Amino acid sequence: MFAVITFDREPLRVEDLPAGIVQWTQSVGGFATIGLILFFLVALPRWRPQDYAAVPGWLKTFFLSCCGLSALFYIAAGIGFLTSGADEPDPEKFVLTTPNLLLTLAGACSILAAGLPFILNLFRERFRRIYALAKLSFKEAIRRRVIYAFSGMLLVFLFASWFIPSWHKDQVRTYVGVVFLAMNALLLFTAALLSSFSIPSDIKQQTIHTIVTKPVERFEIVLGRFFGFLALMTLVLVAMTGISLLYVLRGIHPEAAAESLKARVPYYGDLLFENTDDPRKGTNVGREWEYRDYITRPMPGQPAQTARWDFVNLPASLANRPEVRCEYTFDVYRTTKGEEGKDVYCTFRFYSWRFRKGDDEAFRKEREERGKGLIEGSAEEIALNNELAEKYGFFERDSRPVTDYRTLSLTIPGGLIKNALQADPERESELKLLGPVPAPLQCRVTCDSYTQYVGMAKRDLYFRLDEREGSDRVRFAINFFKGAFGLWLQMALIIGLAVVLSTYLNGVISLLITMILFFGGLGREFVAEVAVGKNEGGGPLEAMVRITRRELSGASFSESTSISDQIVSGTDEAFRWVVRRIIDVIPDVDRFEMSNYVAEGFDISWTQMGLSGLLLFAYLAPWFVLAFYLMRWREIASST
Amino acid sequence: MTHEVIVETRKLTKIYRDFWGRQKKTALRALNIEIRKGEIFGLLGPNGSGKTTTIKLLLGLLFPTEGEAFLFGKPAADVSKNERIGYLPEESYLYRFLNAEETLDFYGRLFDLPPRVRETRAQELIEKVGLKNDRKRKLREYSKGMRQRIGLAQALINDPDLVILDEPTSGLDPLGARWMKNLIVELRNLGKTVIMCSHRLEDVQDVCDRIAILNEGELQAYGEVKTLLQDVNRVELRASEIQLTEQLRRDLEEVLARHGGRIDTVGHPTTTLEDYFLRIVEESKRHPGRRYQPGSEKETIKPAVQSDAITERR
Ligand SMILES: Nc1ncnc2c1ncn2[C@@H]1O[C@H](COP(=O)(O)OP(=O)(O)OP(=O)(O)O)[C@@H](O)[C@H]1O
Ligand SMILES: [Mg+2]
């Protein structure tokens, strides 16, 4: 089975959190600033002396000093950008330049100023009222029989199996895909529909009058609606996931189940290449999709092209296993036709960081002597491998077959990991003299067949952290629900957006904008690329200046010493910053899409779920603050 | 009666604007009134005179264009004032997919009332507004009058100190209207303050202590009903056990002339249609199945029985 998960983007990592927080602060701070400016220009002039007097003194002081600080920081950051020129920070490494730091501080001040009234209001919120409002939304949806829409799911169950062959190597993927797609469409659309029309219809039918004349904070209405619909849709989601899971488990052919009903827990390394032109790249074979890099067996006499995976944070649990399973899925690119059905071969060598030159020879020799007569895979052989790997910090598997896009596996002895995890100060100081200490465990893959290319990407080779072999329905089932969590996040996103928008807009418009934002989110990467992609002529202003100067290209303005060029490129940098902030309005829906893990049989880690949840919260929080203000300033009984 | 001021408006003005901020309609112009603790205050005026607008301004449903309103000393936009207020909207805007019990439970929760209090109050109020047999029915099945009743129950769930009623008798039959008026008086007797607005003059006259009359958003009259309506230049007299003869008329004229007055009208008193209607319904309740016979009323129908509450007031 083709069990490899491909990523156009790295999944969320805990290490990215600081950069994420900085970016969030800048974006949200930017919008908070716009809000504050609008407040000063539009709302404040209409205030009457008594309105102004109603605000407590300390709040006024705090608010105004935050605004003042924010303005100062923005000005400083602006000057910083104009003078320091535009150097796009490396997305791989997180470095905070001074202007960036100033921007972040400015954003933080604006957030404080705009967020404080909201935070203060939160203390006045009561659980019982929010609960009552949530329960009302729940009941309303049920009594209006919205839930019947989900009988549509039955159609999928009834007819999907007509199109899915009963035994096929892709069966699990197809089943999971179809079921998740159907759930996605039904749930998200219903959620959007329910939540974008609820508050507008409350206002239109004036039922909201009897609510806001009770001691209800208006924001409680927003929260009540949100949690009510979320609770309802969560129940529906759980039920539907349960039924879908049964359907998948029942529908899958036993053979397909045995092969792919899994939830692997992979442990990935970092991929580098040796003896190619660029350590970050292999040979380009001209495939359109640049996801994989290729290595081949060079002509004799030349150093072997090698793909090297560095495993840095080795989990100690692996050391106690007699055998650790390593799975790989490579792409084969043939330049000569090769024999029909004949595989391409690769050699896998594993090195501990303590490995010394010559250890491999010693390993081979001793293995040869003591391994005679041992049956491959027998307990004795495994024990021997363990002993030797631990002793020498080396292990190898020769000439393993590689078939196009098939997940194959090999095992390495746990002893090797033991060796790698051992403290060895002597060797460490020795290595330090030579340069950076290598990763604790490295896997080097070389291609054994001439003229054939083998393509690989970071996630094409991994160790299995989970121990058990073969089909494991329980773990698959848990993973299926974890996949549904991704759907839950998307649902929460849609409900939140629709409820927030509907505090100000009417139902149809709210629905429309929610949909636009959501689908925009599916294509967010594309939008971002179009908007802020680096192109040859620099940013828009630089391009314009170039046109007027009639020069096609030249030294980048940011590297120029002329002050005017600096200002032009600084302005462009500011423009790009603004566009990036605007793009941040679009939710990163891609991050909430987890069903592909289930389909490919990979476990969804709790960390990833947590981080996605956090991302959703970070995205929705500013929207809810917006809703707070919209509700507060809305004249409920006025027709406009 | 104490003179503690519960509601105060200062130059309260509302101009409705359209989406572009253009002025559309001045619904209320510089209203200054004070409403005191323990009184029934009536807002009176023809359709479109700004009664509902005033009430919505008091409740913070609308924001004033000019001026301000205070309830219990707090500005109208303050949410916490709502703890002590009960509001019955012009039409009872309730959730139609709930039944009476659920409705009261829901609004009780919005006041953060503990479950046991909610439960007992809901049952009491359902009984009080006479919906005991219909308490499990969804509001969408209710008639206009029943909805008005549950609306009133909803307004009383927090045992408010100030009850604001927008057209409380609209949609009610005379019997229901009378019941509502009794209830309003009863609330006043419990020490609560009531603000009601209406264009049915007899309602206002029956129950209100003080009134404000609005027209085109402007305050036209303001004060105690008694003083506003008292016609000090006229005297009314009713006598019983006597026939109206020419002689009597002449004698009366003579007596009045001696005091410098004259007769405007002399005749038999007619009862109001309301009283008459109430008597008939009363009668049919007492003798079910009997049809009204003209002329037979003398023996069977006693003089209009007015409710104790109202007689007390007079
Ligand atoms: N939302 C609104 N937008 C624009 N004009 C409004 C709005 N609500 C009320 N008005 C106008 O304000 C004026 C006063 O309306 P209001 O509802 O206060 O009258 P009312 O005294 O309660 O009348 P009624 O006895 O018919 O209930 C009317 O002319 C009405 O057209
Ligand atoms: Mg009205």
Side-chain angles (χ1 to χ4, degrees), chain A residues 637-639, chain B residues 16 24-25 27 45-54 90 166-167 199:
Chain A
S638 162
S639 50
Chain B
Y16 285 106
K24 232 169 38 180
K25 170 86 199 170
N47 286 135
S49 55
K51 307 181 293 290
T52 303
T53 302
T54 309
E90 192 163 4
D166 198 343
E167 313 258 355
H199 44 231

Side-chain angles (χ1 to χ4, degrees), chain B residues 84-275:
Chain B
R84 301 169 64 186
I85 296 178
Y87 168 52
L88 172 68
E90 192 163 4
E91 276 158 44
S92 121
Y93 303 121
L94 301 171
Y95 290 97
R96 296 179 163 220
F97 55 88
L98 297 176
N99 65 32
E101 275 180 345
E102 289 168 331
T103 302
L104 294 185
D105 187 66
F106 169 64
Y107 289 107
R109 273 180 211 264
L110 294 188
F111 282 103
D112 210 358
L113 298 177
R116 198 160 317 138
V117 179
R118 273 196 324 258
E119 176 84 8
T120 48
R121 280 222 194 126
Q123 291 310 330
E124 270 170 34
L125 284 169
I126 284 175
E127 196 138 339
K128 189 168 186 163
V129 299
L131 289 173
K132 206 165 174 213
N133 297 327
D134 303 302
R135 65 180 194 274
K136 297 275 185 215
R137 288 172 68 192
K138 302 260 155 43
L139 299 199
R140 71 163 76 88
E141 299 168 9
Y142 274 22
S143 72
K144 174 85 213 291
M146 289 159 86
R147 253 181 253 149
Q148 196 76 355
R149 283 162 191 262
I150 185 70
L152 184 73
Q154 162 277 132
L156 298 177
I157 189 78
N158 58 329
D159 193 20
D161 296 327
L162 171 64
V163 186
I164 300 182
L165 309 168
D166 198 343
E167 313 258 355
T169 54
S170 83
L172 293 177
D173 58 22
L175 212 63
R178 170 55 48 88
W179 164 84
M180 178 68 86
K181 284 186 270 182
N182 289 343
L183 216 143
I184 291 168
V185 172
E186 195 183 307
L187 287 175
R188 197 264 322 271
N189 293 347
L190 288 170
K192 302 187 189 309
T193 313
V194 181
I195 302 176
M196 60 177 278
C197 77
S198 184
H199 44 231
R200 284 169 53 166
L201 307 178
E202 70 277 11
D203 291 355
V204 176
Q205 191 177 1
D206 279 353
V207 298
C208 289
D209 300 309
R210 292 194 317 135
I211 54 169
I213 298 180
L214 291 173
N215 190 32
E216 293 285 312
E218 275 179 82
L219 187 63
Q220 304 291 346
Y222 172 57
E224 280 194 39
V225 179
K226 251 184 279 172
T227 31
L228 286 180
L229 298 188
Q230 213 167 47
D231 191 348
V232 287
N233 296 320
R234 283 161 189 252
V235 172
E236 203 180 77
L237 172 134
R238 283 190 193 198
S240 48
E241 321 239 326
I242 194 164
Q243 292 293 311
L244 181 60
T245 57
E246 262 318 289
Q247 182 59 44
L248 177 66
R249 200 186 167 90
R250 269 199 297 276
D251 288 353
L252 282 174
E253 244 167 42
E254 197 189 304
V255 172
L256 289 176
R258 226 186 294 146
H259 290 271
R262 61 182 164 77
I263 289 183
D264 284 347
T265 56
V266 178
H268 291 293
T270 53
T271 173
T272 60
L273 187 56
E274 185 186 349
D275 287 338

Side-chain angles (χ1 to χ4, degrees), chain A residues 334 337-343 452:
Chain A
R334 296 166 195 271
K337 205 164 171 228
E339 273 170 61
E340 191 61 42
K342 203 175 165 217
D343 287 320
Q452 312 288 29

